Amino acid sequence: MASAQWYAVWLKSISNGMNEIDAIQRANRVNGIERKELVRCRIMTGKGESLLLSMAVEGGSRKLREINKEQGLSLSAHGNWRKNHLGALEALYGKTPFYEHIMSGLFPVFKNQDLTALSSFNSGIHKVLSEFLLGDFYFNEKNNPFSENVVLMERGKEIAKRINPKISIIDSLMHLGRESLPALFQLNLSV
């Protein structure tokens, strides 16, 4: 569950016609996602503090130091992190307006014990979050209202003030839903 800033870079890349794989790689590169950052996510607590969620990988931090890419990293069941993450998400976001909509897609990813490769797990989460964020919206050269529509740009600036770019996109999606979309274009202006 990458940061809002990561999603801002990814979204801008997609809206400029970049394919999905290249957009993900660009977002990783711009945001410095490698090694330990591949298995970590920050969410907000009710007290306004950030909480770090980490996934266990086979070989632990030693394995993360040896490899720069998430390919080849296998998830470990150590620490029962899947159950703990779901519990943390429910505790922190269970009463937010979009909890049910997002979690209905995330539950199967977290519960799928066959997803043992980190890349597959992260791809599953990204698919759920990006499909929720974009809905049926499709970008092309003529279909990007967030870059030229003054009303949407102003609304995006207003919403962007409520989003911490370093915190997981899950936070803004749970609270703001698809209203996060125009804000991400505004966040990307400073990236």
Side-chain angles (χ1 to χ4, degrees):
M1 296 180 287
S3 70
Q5 183 171 299
W6 186 96
Y7 271 90
V9 174
W10 170 81
L11 186 61
K12 183 68 172 175
S13 300
I14 293 291
S15 72
N16 286 332
M18 191 176 284
N19 70 50
E20 179 74 12
I21 293 170
D22 290 342
I24 289 171
Q25 290 174 348
R26 180 171 185 266
N28 284 347
R29 189 174 50 254
V30 168
N31 287 284
I33 305 296
E34 61 181 27
R35 298 186 180 168
K36 287 186 179 181
E37 295 305 313
L38 289 168
V39 297
R40 292 182 170 171
C41 141
R42 289 200 180 278
I43 58 176
M44 293 302 290
T45 68
K47 298 176 183 177
E49 301 167 352
S50 69
L51 174 67
L52 183 65
L53 299 179
S54 295
M55 297 181 285
V57 294
E58 294 291 338
S61 61
R62 177 187 51 78
K63 187 73 170 175
L64 289 170
R65 283 191 301 269
E66 293 173 1
I67 193 164
N68 284 338
K69 302 190 184 317
E70 66 179 305
Q71 288 79 14
L73 290 175
S74 296
L75 296 170
S76 170
H78 180 74
N80 205 10
W81 62 267
R82 291 178 193 246
K83 182 179 177 186
N84 293 339
H85 286 200
L86 287 173
L89 292 172
E90 183 175 3
L92 294 173
Y93 301 115
K95 295 184 180 181
T96 60
F98 299 98
Y99 176 81
E100 292 295 327
H101 302 283
I102 297 167
M103 291 309 292
S104 65
L106 288 181
F107 275 124
V109 176
F110 274 89
K111 296 205 180 248
N112 185 349
Q113 297 296 321
D114 291 333
L115 289 177
T116 58
L118 177 62
S119 59
S120 299
F121 186 83
N122 282 343
S123 293
I125 289 175
H126 173 67
K127 183 176 189 263
V128 170
L129 298 180
S130 62
E131 286 177 357
F132 174 79
L133 179 65
L134 295 175
D136 293 332
F137 195 82
Y138 174 76
F139 289 105
N140 62 36
E141 303 81 37
K142 298 176 185 174
N143 187 27
N144 186 356
F146 306 105
S147 63
E148 296 176 11
N149 184 310
V150 176
V151 173
L152 282 176
M153 288 174 67
E154 289 305 312
R155 179 70 178 143
K157 287 178 186 176
E158 179 183 319
I159 296 167
K161 293 175 187 174
R162 297 168 49 191
I163 296 175
N164 181 335
K166 301 291 184 189
I167 299 297
S168 172
I169 189 67
I170 197 81
D171 190 69
S172 61
L173 291 179
M174 291 288 193
H175 292 286
L176 303 168
R178 289 192 179 110
E179 278 197 290
S180 302
L181 189 59
L184 291 174
F185 279 95
Q186 300 307 316
L187 287 177
N188 198 26
L189 295 176
S190 63
V191 173

